[in-house]
Amino acid sequence: MGVNKENVKIHVSHLKKNFGSLEVLKDVSTDICEGEVVVILGPSGSGKSTFLRCLNRLENITAGEVVVDGYDITDKHTDMNKVRENVGMVFQHFNLFNNLNVMGNMTLAPTELKKATKQQAREKAMKLLDRVGLLDKAEAYPAQLSGGQKQRVAIARALAMDPDILLFDEPTSALDPEMVGEVLQVMKQLAADGMTMVVVTHEIGFAREVASRVIFMEGGYIVEEGTPDEVINHPKQPRTIDFLSKVL
């Protein structure tokens, strides 16, 4: 499944985000199409995570327009719970419920929101755990899992809601280096299956291998965007060149 340019899943126009007097996003516009894997690179403080969190209104939007799956989420009347059913989010620190076992984490949202029966939710959870290689951990609690296992559970949990879009906020940056690969492997498979993904990450190798498009952000703006080859191998903007020279 390739990228479907006819179907824009996320439309962002002149997005601005202020925290008080601090302008974090100054003017960001881009479209993300069905089946695209968009990787967002940039130094700390460039606005990457804030941009991602605006896409499902975990951060309120100061100005501009964001349309997700046809819903204008800048409109105060939009039912964000409805929108979020189709937009999964995977966080840097997993955000699992420590008092629930893996199966409890996986089945909570589908049973509460999508009205799946407990049995349906359990069956689906087992399939997804199998997909991320953690079928044997269904009854384990988060405290009994490694960081890489927690993150794979978090991805499976997001998938349990059958999202159209997955947002990843630095999904590997809290992991020990040897666990990064197992999480990236799951993400690569999702990309290969045609999932629309927006990934904030420092994993240049993943961007190079998996992204259909790379966005480089700095100072609340998109400085450069294009294919991985264009942005990573042949960057044009001095700021992108400088950043990549330090991380490659």
Side-chain angles (χ1 to χ4, degrees):
M1 233 189 93
V3 175
N4 176 7
K5 286 281 169 64
E6 301 297 302
N7 186 1
V8 174
K9 300 297 277 182
I10 303 174
H11 167 70
V12 181
S13 179
H14 303 296
L15 170 63
K16 296 181 180 177
K17 171 62 187 172
N18 301 350
F19 292 100
S21 60
L22 179 68
E23 284 184 303
V24 177
L25 298 177
K26 294 171 184 166
D27 187 358
V28 176
S29 297
T30 191
D31 283 344
I32 293 162
C33 298
E34 183 181 19
E36 259 197 305
V37 178
V38 176
V39 171
I40 303 175
L41 301 175
S44 294
S46 57
K48 308 182 300 288
S49 290
T50 302
F51 170 67
L52 197 73
R53 292 170 69 86
C54 285
L55 299 183
N56 61 359
R57 225 172 71 193
L58 286 177
E59 298 292 356
N60 282 319
I61 293 158
T62 304
E65 183 182 47
V66 180
V67 179
V68 177
D69 257 347
Y71 292 96
D72 179 358
I73 69 168
T74 28
D75 181 344
K76 294 281 187 282
H77 300 105
T78 297
D79 179 357
M80 281 311 297
N81 290 331
K82 197 90 202 113
V83 177
R84 288 185 190 126
E85 282 180 16
N86 293 325
V87 184
M89 178 101 177
V90 178
F91 298 89
Q92 184 176 351
H93 294 291
F94 330 123
N95 288 25
L96 297 174
F97 296 107
N98 290 323
N99 60 327
L100 296 176
N101 65 11
V102 167
M103 183 54 69
N105 269 284
M106 296 275 303
T107 56
L108 183 68
T111 48
E112 289 207 349
L113 295 173
K114 282 252 167 136
K115 319 292 187 287
T117 65
K118 281 221 159 61
Q119 184 57 31
Q120 287 167 331
R122 277 190 73 85
E123 283 169 14
K124 175 128 201 228
M126 294 306 272
K127 281 191 187 128
L128 289 168
L129 287 172
D130 189 32
R131 189 169 166 187
V132 299
L134 291 172
L135 200 50
D136 58 334
K137 299 292 184 191
E139 302 307 321
Y141 282 82
Q144 298 167 303
L145 302 177
S146 71
Q149 289 170 333
K150 286 181 197 174
Q151 196 57 294
R152 284 187 282 154
V153 170
I155 294 171
R157 178 179 64 174
L159 290 171
M161 290 294 286
D162 282 327
D164 293 339
I165 300 163
L166 275 181
L167 308 177
F168 293 85
D169 190 6
E170 302 203 14
T172 58
S173 61
L175 301 178
D176 292 332
E178 68 266 26
M179 290 169 186
V180 169
E182 64 192 56
V183 172
L184 293 181
Q185 198 49 51
V186 172
M187 292 170 65
K188 283 175 191 170
Q189 192 52 55
L190 287 172
D193 294 343
M195 175 64 75
T196 306
M197 293 159 60
V198 187
V199 185
V200 170
T201 186
H202 295 292
E203 298 292 336
I204 306 285
F206 174 82
R208 204 179 245 149
E209 192 182 334
V210 182
S212 28
R213 184 154 49 105
V214 174
I215 289 176
F216 177 76
M217 288 185 70
E218 160 74 349
Y221 294 102
I222 292 176
V223 174
E224 191 161 353
E225 65 180 306
T227 64
D229 185 54
E230 287 165 347
V231 177
I232 298 171
N233 299 339
H234 304 98
K236 294 182 180 60
Q237 299 299 325
R239 188 61 193 95
T240 319
I241 294 166
D242 179 52
F243 174 78
L244 289 168
S245 73
K246 295 188 172 80
V247 297
L248 285 178

